[in-house]
Amino acid sequence: MDDDALLAEQLAYYRAGAAEYDRPYAEYEALQDLLAAVDDLPIAGDVLELACGTGQWTPRLAARARSVTAVDAAAEVLALARARTASPTVRFVEADLFEWQPPRRYDTVFFAFWLSHVPPTRLPDFWNTVAAALAPGGKAIFIDDGPAAAACEEVLANQPAPAALRRLDDGSQYRIVKVFHDAQTLTDDLTTLGWSVHLRTMAGNFIGIAEPPTSPG
């Protein structure tokens, strides 16, 4: 089965729900703790932020970086991110992350709660893109849900990729890709792809720091 329709529905969900996007960050202390954890991560130099959403993470990255290029496919969330982020060192780009290729290399590639939205069949290509975007000595830093988060989702069966159903305040509903990565399995998968990776768990989430293969791809 093809996952294009599922990914299109996922994008539609984030576009339609931009105004509701920030709600979990206000409601869940664990997310505030994760935001604060950025200050202890090796974020430096020129940073590429993938799937920046409404920019919850972007100002924290900008505080530690020489520059930030923040990319997202949804114009509606990017508008909120621009309003939230006043730093002149931040540049926003509207682009489909499954099609976009970074035009240059970065010291850090960062993504929060994006990896779980990548269909498993597309993970090798995604990690190849991340590797190609990193300058020598650069690192990928990522944060996402662990398996326990599945209890808070309406998980769907018989989909082109692992998926969940999300509902918005207006009653509309959308399928999204949602992969609940186990830290050990993800570590093993990245190691198989040639990455050096360290994952740690934090309140049911995981924080990963990874260095790419010597030869991307």
Side-chain angles (χ1 to χ4, degrees), residues 161-211:
L165 189 69
R166 295 271 182 91
R167 292 179 171 84
L168 297 176
D169 288 349
D170 64 4
S172 59
Q173 55 188 37
Y174 302 83
R175 296 175 304 158
I176 63 163
V177 175
K178 195 62 181 175
V179 183
F180 301 100
H181 289 285
D182 170 76
Q184 186 59 57
T185 302
L186 181 57
T187 298
D188 293 343
D189 290 346
L190 279 169
T191 301
T192 299
L193 293 173
W195 287 75
S196 172
V197 59
H198 172 73
L199 267 68
R200 66 183 175 95
T201 57
M202 182 176 176
N205 304 107
F206 63 79
I207 299 173
I209 301 173
E211 297 182 44

Short mmCIF file of all heavy atoms in Angstrom, two decimals, residues 161-211:
data_model
loop_
_atom_site.label_atom_id
_atom_site.label_comp_id
_atom_site.label_asym_id
_atom_site.label_seq_id
_atom_site.Cartn_x
_atom_site.Cartn_y
_atom_site.Cartn_z
N ALA A 161 1.16 2.64 6.80
CA ALA A 161 2.26 2.78 7.76
C ALA A 161 1.64 2.84 9.14
O ALA A 161 0.43 3.05 9.27
CB ALA A 161 3.06 4.05 7.47
N PRO A 162 2.41 2.63 10.20
CA PRO A 162 1.85 2.80 11.54
C PRO A 162 1.16 4.16 11.65
O PRO A 162 1.74 5.18 11.26
CB PRO A 162 3.08 2.70 12.45
CG PRO A 162 4.05 1.86 11.68
CD PRO A 162 3.84 2.24 10.24
N ALA A 163 -0.05 4.17 12.15
CA ALA A 163 -0.85 5.39 12.09
C ALA A 163 -1.75 5.54 13.31
O ALA A 163 -2.05 4.57 14.01
CB ALA A 163 -1.70 5.40 10.81
N ALA A 164 -2.17 6.78 13.53
CA ALA A 164 -3.11 7.11 14.59
C ALA A 164 -4.13 8.09 14.04
O ALA A 164 -3.90 8.77 13.03
CB ALA A 164 -2.39 7.69 15.79
N LEU A 165 -5.27 8.17 14.72
CA LEU A 165 -6.33 9.11 14.34
C LEU A 165 -6.30 10.29 15.31
O LEU A 165 -6.33 10.11 16.52
CB LEU A 165 -7.69 8.43 14.40
CG LEU A 165 -8.86 9.22 13.81
CD1 LEU A 165 -8.73 9.33 12.30
CD2 LEU A 165 -10.19 8.56 14.18
N ARG A 166 -6.25 11.50 14.75
CA ARG A 166 -6.28 12.71 15.56
C ARG A 166 -7.54 13.50 15.24
O ARG A 166 -7.98 13.56 14.08
CB ARG A 166 -5.04 13.57 15.27
CG ARG A 166 -3.72 12.94 15.68
CD ARG A 166 -3.37 13.27 17.11
NE ARG A 166 -2.08 12.71 17.52
CZ ARG A 166 -0.92 13.37 17.40
NH1 ARG A 166 -0.88 14.59 16.88
NH2 ARG A 166 0.20 12.80 17.81
N ARG A 167 -8.09 14.14 16.26
CA ARG A 167 -9.28 14.97 16.09
C ARG A 167 -9.00 16.40 16.50
O ARG A 167 -8.27 16.64 17.46
CB ARG A 167 -10.43 14.41 16.94
CG ARG A 167 -10.95 13.06 16.46
CD ARG A 167 -12.07 12.56 17.37
NE ARG A 167 -12.73 11.39 16.81
CZ ARG A 167 -12.30 10.14 16.94
NH1 ARG A 167 -11.18 9.92 17.63
NH2 ARG A 167 -12.95 9.13 16.40
N LEU A 168 -9.60 17.35 15.79
CA LEU A 168 -9.48 18.77 16.10
C LEU A 168 -10.74 19.26 16.78
O LEU A 168 -11.76 18.58 16.82
CB LEU A 168 -9.19 19.56 14.83
CG LEU A 168 -7.86 19.23 14.14
CD1 LEU A 168 -7.73 20.00 12.83
CD2 LEU A 168 -6.67 19.51 15.06
N ASP A 169 -10.67 20.47 17.30
CA ASP A 169 -11.80 21.02 18.06
C ASP A 169 -13.08 21.12 17.24
O ASP A 169 -14.18 21.06 17.80
CB ASP A 169 -11.44 22.41 18.59
CG ASP A 169 -10.43 22.36 19.73
OD1 ASP A 169 -10.18 21.25 20.24
OD2 ASP A 169 -9.89 23.43 20.08
N ASP A 170 -12.95 21.28 15.92
CA ASP A 170 -14.15 21.41 15.08
C ASP A 170 -14.77 20.06 14.73
O ASP A 170 -15.75 19.99 13.97
CB ASP A 170 -13.83 22.20 13.81
CG ASP A 170 -12.82 21.48 12.92
OD1 ASP A 170 -12.41 20.33 13.23
OD2 ASP A 170 -12.43 22.07 11.89
N GLY A 171 -14.22 18.98 15.28
CA GLY A 171 -14.76 17.65 15.02
C GLY A 171 -14.14 16.93 13.84
O GLY A 171 -14.41 15.74 13.64
N SER A 172 -13.33 17.63 13.06
CA SER A 172 -12.68 16.98 11.92
C SER A 172 -11.65 15.98 12.42
O SER A 172 -11.09 16.12 13.52
CB SER A 172 -12.02 18.02 11.01
OG SER A 172 -11.05 18.76 11.73
N GLN A 173 -11.39 14.95 11.64
CA GLN A 173 -10.43 13.93 12.05
C GLN A 173 -9.50 13.58 10.90
O GLN A 173 -9.88 13.65 9.72
CB GLN A 173 -11.15 12.68 12.57
CG GLN A 173 -12.15 12.06 11.63
CD GLN A 173 -12.94 10.94 12.31
OE1 GLN A 173 -13.29 11.02 13.49
NE2 GLN A 173 -13.21 9.89 11.55
N TYR A 174 -8.30 13.22 11.26
CA TYR A 174 -7.24 13.00 10.29
C TYR A 174 -6.38 11.82 10.72
O TYR A 174 -6.10 11.64 11.91
CB TYR A 174 -6.33 14.23 10.19
CG TYR A 174 -7.02 15.51 9.82
CD1 TYR A 174 -7.68 16.27 10.79
CD2 TYR A 174 -7.02 15.98 8.51
CE1 TYR A 174 -8.31 17.46 10.46
CE2 TYR A 174 -7.64 17.17 8.17
CZ TYR A 174 -8.29 17.90 9.15
OH TYR A 174 -8.91 19.08 8.82
N ARG A 175 -5.92 11.07 9.75
CA ARG A 175 -4.92 10.04 10.01
C ARG A 175 -3.53 10.69 9.95
O ARG A 175 -3.28 11.54 9.10
CB ARG A 175 -4.99 8.93 8.97
CG ARG A 175 -6.28 8.13 8.96
CD ARG A 175 -6.27 7.15 7.79
NE ARG A 175 -6.06 7.85 6.52
CZ ARG A 175 -5.59 7.28 5.41
NH1 ARG A 175 -5.28 5.99 5.42
NH2 ARG A 175 -5.44 7.98 4.31
N ILE A 176 -2.67 10.28 10.84
CA ILE A 176 -1.28 10.70 10.80
C ILE A 176 -0.40 9.46 10.91
O ILE A 176 -0.81 8.43 11.47
CB ILE A 176 -0.93 11.68 11.93
CG1 ILE A 176 -1.09 11.00 13.31
CG2 ILE A 176 -1.77 12.95 11.84
CD1 ILE A 176 -0.41 11.72 14.44
N VAL A 177 0.81 9.54 10.40
CA VAL A 177 1.81 8.50 10.66
C VAL A 177 2.25 8.65 12.12
O VAL A 177 2.51 9.76 12.59
CB VAL A 177 3.02 8.66 9.73
CG1 VAL A 177 4.11 7.65 10.09
CG2 VAL A 177 2.60 8.51 8.28
N LYS A 178 2.29 7.56 12.84
CA LYS A 178 2.76 7.61 14.22
C LYS A 178 3.47 6.31 14.57
O LYS A 178 2.84 5.26 14.76
CB LYS A 178 1.61 7.86 15.18
CG LYS A 178 2.06 8.28 16.58
CD LYS A 178 2.84 9.59 16.57
CE LYS A 178 3.30 9.98 17.96
NZ LYS A 178 4.16 11.19 17.95
N VAL A 179 4.78 6.38 14.62
CA VAL A 179 5.63 5.23 14.93
C VAL A 179 6.18 5.41 16.34
O VAL A 179 6.87 6.39 16.61
CB VAL A 179 6.79 5.11 13.92
CG1 VAL A 179 7.61 3.85 14.21
CG2 VAL A 179 6.28 5.10 12.49
N PHE A 180 5.87 4.49 17.21
CA PHE A 180 6.33 4.59 18.60
C PHE A 180 7.65 3.82 18.73
O PHE A 180 7.67 2.62 19.00
CB PHE A 180 5.26 4.05 19.55
CG PHE A 180 3.96 4.78 19.42
CD1 PHE A 180 2.92 4.24 18.68
CD2 PHE A 180 3.78 6.02 20.00
CE1 PHE A 180 1.72 4.92 18.54
CE2 PHE A 180 2.59 6.71 19.87
CZ PHE A 180 1.56 6.16 19.14
N HIS A 181 8.73 4.52 18.52
CA HIS A 181 10.04 3.87 18.46
C HIS A 181 10.49 3.41 19.84
O HIS A 181 10.45 4.16 20.82
CB HIS A 181 11.09 4.84 17.91
CG HIS A 181 10.94 5.12 16.45
ND1 HIS A 181 11.31 4.21 15.48
CD2 HIS A 181 10.45 6.21 15.79
CE1 HIS A 181 11.07 4.74 14.29
NE2 HIS A 181 10.55 5.94 14.44
N ASP A 182 10.91 2.18 19.90
CA ASP A 182 11.59 1.65 21.07
C ASP A 182 13.05 2.06 21.00
O ASP A 182 13.70 1.95 19.95
CB ASP A 182 11.46 0.12 21.09
CG ASP A 182 12.35 -0.52 22.13
OD1 ASP A 182 12.00 -0.47 23.32
OD2 ASP A 182 13.41 -1.05 21.75
N ALA A 183 13.60 2.57 22.10
CA ALA A 183 14.95 3.13 22.09
C ALA A 183 15.99 2.11 21.61
O ALA A 183 16.87 2.44 20.80
CB ALA A 183 15.31 3.65 23.47
N GLN A 184 15.89 0.87 22.08
CA GLN A 184 16.88 -0.12 21.70
C GLN A 184 16.77 -0.48 20.22
O GLN A 184 17.77 -0.59 19.51
CB GLN A 184 16.75 -1.38 22.56
CG GLN A 184 17.85 -2.40 22.31
CD GLN A 184 19.24 -1.83 22.56
OE1 GLN A 184 19.53 -1.35 23.65
NE2 GLN A 184 20.10 -1.86 21.54
N THR A 185 15.54 -0.66 19.75
CA THR A 185 15.34 -1.01 18.34
C THR A 185 15.82 0.12 17.45
O THR A 185 16.46 -0.11 16.41
CB THR A 185 13.86 -1.31 18.07
OG1 THR A 185 13.44 -2.38 18.91
CG2 THR A 185 13.64 -1.70 16.61
N LEU A 186 15.51 1.37 17.82
CA LEU A 186 15.96 2.52 17.03
C LEU A 186 17.48 2.60 17.02
O LEU A 186 18.09 2.87 15.97
CB LEU A 186 15.35 3.80 17.59
CG LEU A 186 15.70 5.09 16.85
CD1 LEU A 186 15.31 5.02 15.38
CD2 LEU A 186 15.02 6.28 17.52
N THR A 187 18.09 2.35 18.17
CA THR A 187 19.55 2.33 18.22
C THR A 187 20.12 1.27 17.28
O THR A 187 21.07 1.53 16.52
CB THR A 187 20.03 2.06 19.66
OG1 THR A 187 19.57 3.11 20.51
CG2 THR A 187 21.55 2.00 19.73
N ASP A 188 19.53 0.09 17.31
CA ASP A 188 19.99 -0.99 16.45
C ASP A 188 19.81 -0.64 14.97
O ASP A 188 20.70 -0.90 14.14
CB ASP A 188 19.24 -2.29 16.77
CG ASP A 188 19.57 -2.84 18.15
OD1 ASP A 188 20.60 -2.41 18.72
OD2 ASP A 188 18.81 -3.69 18.64
N ASP A 189 18.66 -0.04 14.64
CA ASP A 189 18.40 0.31 13.24
C ASP A 189 19.39 1.36 12.74
O ASP A 189 19.88 1.27 11.61
CB ASP A 189 16.97 0.84 13.09
CG ASP A 189 15.91 -0.24 13.27
OD1 ASP A 189 16.27 -1.44 13.25
OD2 ASP A 189 14.73 0.11 13.45
N LEU A 190 19.67 2.35 13.57
CA LEU A 190 20.62 3.38 13.17
C LEU A 190 22.04 2.82 13.07
O LEU A 190 22.80 3.20 12.16
CB LEU A 190 20.58 4.54 14.16
CG LEU A 190 19.44 5.54 13.95
CD1 LEU A 190 19.33 6.49 15.14
CD2 LEU A 190 19.66 6.33 12.68
N THR A 191 22.38 1.93 13.97
CA THR A 191 23.70 1.30 13.91
C THR A 191 23.85 0.51 12.61
O THR A 191 24.91 0.54 11.96
CB THR A 191 23.91 0.39 15.13
OG1 THR A 191 23.80 1.17 16.32
CG2 THR A 191 25.28 -0.27 15.09
N THR A 192 22.79 -0.17 12.21
CA THR A 192 22.80 -0.91 10.95
C THR A 192 23.03 0.01 9.76
O THR A 192 23.69 -0.36 8.78
CB THR A 192 21.48 -1.69 10.77
OG1 THR A 192 21.35 -2.62 11.85
CG2 THR A 192 21.45 -2.44 9.46
N LEU A 193 22.50 1.22 9.86
CA LEU A 193 22.68 2.21 8.79
C LEU A 193 24.04 2.91 8.87
O LEU A 193 24.35 3.77 8.04
CB LEU A 193 21.57 3.26 8.85
CG LEU A 193 20.16 2.77 8.51
CD1 LEU A 193 19.13 3.86 8.79
CD2 LEU A 193 20.07 2.30 7.07
N GLY A 194 24.84 2.55 9.87
CA GLY A 194 26.19 3.10 9.97
C GLY A 194 26.35 4.27 10.92
O GLY A 194 27.44 4.84 11.04
N TRP A 195 25.26 4.64 11.62
CA TRP A 195 25.33 5.77 12.54
C TRP A 195 25.88 5.34 13.89
O TRP A 195 25.71 4.19 14.31
CB TRP A 195 23.93 6.36 12.76
CG TRP A 195 23.40 7.13 11.60
CD1 TRP A 195 22.93 6.62 10.43
CD2 TRP A 195 23.29 8.55 11.49
NE1 TRP A 195 22.53 7.65 9.59
CE2 TRP A 195 22.74 8.83 10.22
CE3 TRP A 195 23.60 9.61 12.34
CZ2 TRP A 195 22.49 10.14 9.79
CZ3 TRP A 195 23.35 10.91 11.93
CH2 TRP A 195 22.82 11.16 10.66
N SER A 196 26.53 6.27 14.58
CA SER A 196 26.89 6.11 15.98
C SER A 196 25.86 6.88 16.79
O SER A 196 25.67 8.08 16.58
CB SER A 196 28.30 6.67 16.22
OG SER A 196 28.60 6.68 17.60
N VAL A 197 25.17 6.22 17.70
CA VAL A 197 24.01 6.86 18.35
C VAL A 197 23.98 6.56 19.84
O VAL A 197 24.33 5.47 20.29
CB VAL A 197 22.70 6.40 17.67
CG1 VAL A 197 22.53 4.88 17.74
CG2 VAL A 197 21.48 7.08 18.29
N HIS A 198 23.56 7.57 20.59
CA HIS A 198 23.31 7.39 22.02
C HIS A 198 21.91 7.92 22.30
O HIS A 198 21.59 9.07 21.99
CB HIS A 198 24.33 8.16 22.86
CG HIS A 198 24.00 8.17 24.32
ND1 HIS A 198 24.14 7.06 25.13
CD2 HIS A 198 23.52 9.15 25.13
CE1 HIS A 198 23.76 7.36 26.36
NE2 HIS A 198 23.37 8.62 26.38
N LEU A 199 21.06 7.09 22.89
CA LEU A 199 19.70 7.49 23.27
C LEU A 199 19.53 7.39 24.77
O LEU A 199 20.04 6.47 25.40
CB LEU A 199 18.66 6.58 22.59
CG LEU A 199 18.08 7.05 21.25
CD1 LEU A 199 19.13 7.03 20.17
CD2 LEU A 199 16.90 6.19 20.85
N ARG A 200 18.83 8.36 25.32
CA ARG A 200 18.44 8.27 26.73
C ARG A 200 16.96 8.60 26.84
O ARG A 200 16.42 9.36 26.04
CB ARG A 200 19.27 9.21 27.60
CG ARG A 200 19.08 10.70 27.35
CD ARG A 200 20.02 11.49 28.25
NE ARG A 200 20.00 12.92 28.00
CZ ARG A 200 19.25 13.78 28.67
NH1 ARG A 200 18.43 13.35 29.62
NH2 ARG A 200 19.30 15.08 28.40
N THR A 201 16.32 7.99 27.82
CA THR A 201 14.90 8.22 28.00
C THR A 201 14.68 9.30 29.06
O THR A 201 15.50 9.48 29.97
CB THR A 201 14.18 6.93 28.42
OG1 THR A 201 14.79 6.42 29.62
CG2 THR A 201 14.29 5.89 27.32
N MET A 202 13.56 10.01 28.91
CA MET A 202 13.21 11.07 29.84
C MET A 202 11.70 11.16 29.90
O MET A 202 11.06 11.56 28.92
CB MET A 202 13.82 12.40 29.38
CG MET A 202 13.56 13.56 30.31
SD MET A 202 14.42 15.07 29.74
CE MET A 202 13.83 16.24 30.96
N ALA A 203 11.12 10.74 31.00
CA ALA A 203 9.67 10.82 31.23
C ALA A 203 8.89 10.19 30.08
O ALA A 203 7.90 10.74 29.61
CB ALA A 203 9.25 12.26 31.43
N GLY A 204 9.35 9.03 29.62
CA GLY A 204 8.64 8.32 28.56
C GLY A 204 8.99 8.75 27.16
O GLY A 204 8.56 8.13 26.18
N ASN A 205 9.78 9.81 27.04
CA ASN A 205 10.29 10.25 25.74
C ASN A 205 11.74 9.81 25.60
O ASN A 205 12.33 9.31 26.54
CB ASN A 205 10.19 11.78 25.62
CG ASN A 205 8.79 12.29 25.84
OD1 ASN A 205 8.49 12.89 26.87
ND2 ASN A 205 7.92 12.05 24.89
N PHE A 206 12.31 10.03 24.43
CA PHE A 206 13.73 9.77 24.29
C PHE A 206 14.42 10.96 23.64
O PHE A 206 13.83 11.72 22.87
CB PHE A 206 14.02 8.47 23.53
CG PHE A 206 13.55 8.46 22.11
CD1 PHE A 206 14.26 9.09 21.10
CD2 PHE A 206 12.39 7.78 21.75
CE1 PHE A 206 13.83 9.07 19.79
CE2 PHE A 206 11.94 7.75 20.43
CZ PHE A 206 12.68 8.40 19.45
N ILE A 207 15.68 11.12 24.01
CA ILE A 207 16.55 12.14 23.42
C ILE A 207 17.71 11.42 22.78
O ILE A 207 18.37 10.60 23.44
CB ILE A 207 17.05 13.13 24.49
CG1 ILE A 207 15.87 13.85 25.15
CG2 ILE A 207 18.02 14.13 23.88
CD1 ILE A 207 16.28 14.72 26.34
N GLY A 208 17.96 11.67 21.52
CA GLY A 208 19.01 10.98 20.79
C GLY A 208 20.07 11.95 20.27
O GLY A 208 19.75 13.07 19.86
N ILE A 209 21.31 11.51 20.31
CA ILE A 209 22.42 12.23 19.70
C ILE A 209 23.13 11.22 18.80
O ILE A 209 23.53 10.15 19.26
CB ILE A 209 23.39 12.77 20.76
CG1 ILE A 209 22.65 13.73 21.72
CG2 ILE A 209 24.57 13.48 20.10
CD1 ILE A 209 23.51 14.17 22.90
N ALA A 210 23.26 11.55 17.52
CA ALA A 210 23.81 10.59 16.58
C ALA A 210 24.81 11.25 15.65
O ALA A 210 24.65 12.42 15.27
CB ALA A 210 22.67 9.96 15.76
N GLU A 211 25.81 10.49 15.28
CA GLU A 211 26.80 10.94 14.30
C GLU A 211 26.72 10.03 13.10
O GLU A 211 26.56 8.80 13.22
CB GLU A 211 28.20 10.90 14.93
CG GLU A 211 28.34 11.86 16.11
CD GLU A 211 29.73 11.85 16.70
OE1 GLU A 211 30.70 11.87 15.93
OE2 GLU A 211 29.84 11.81 17.95
#
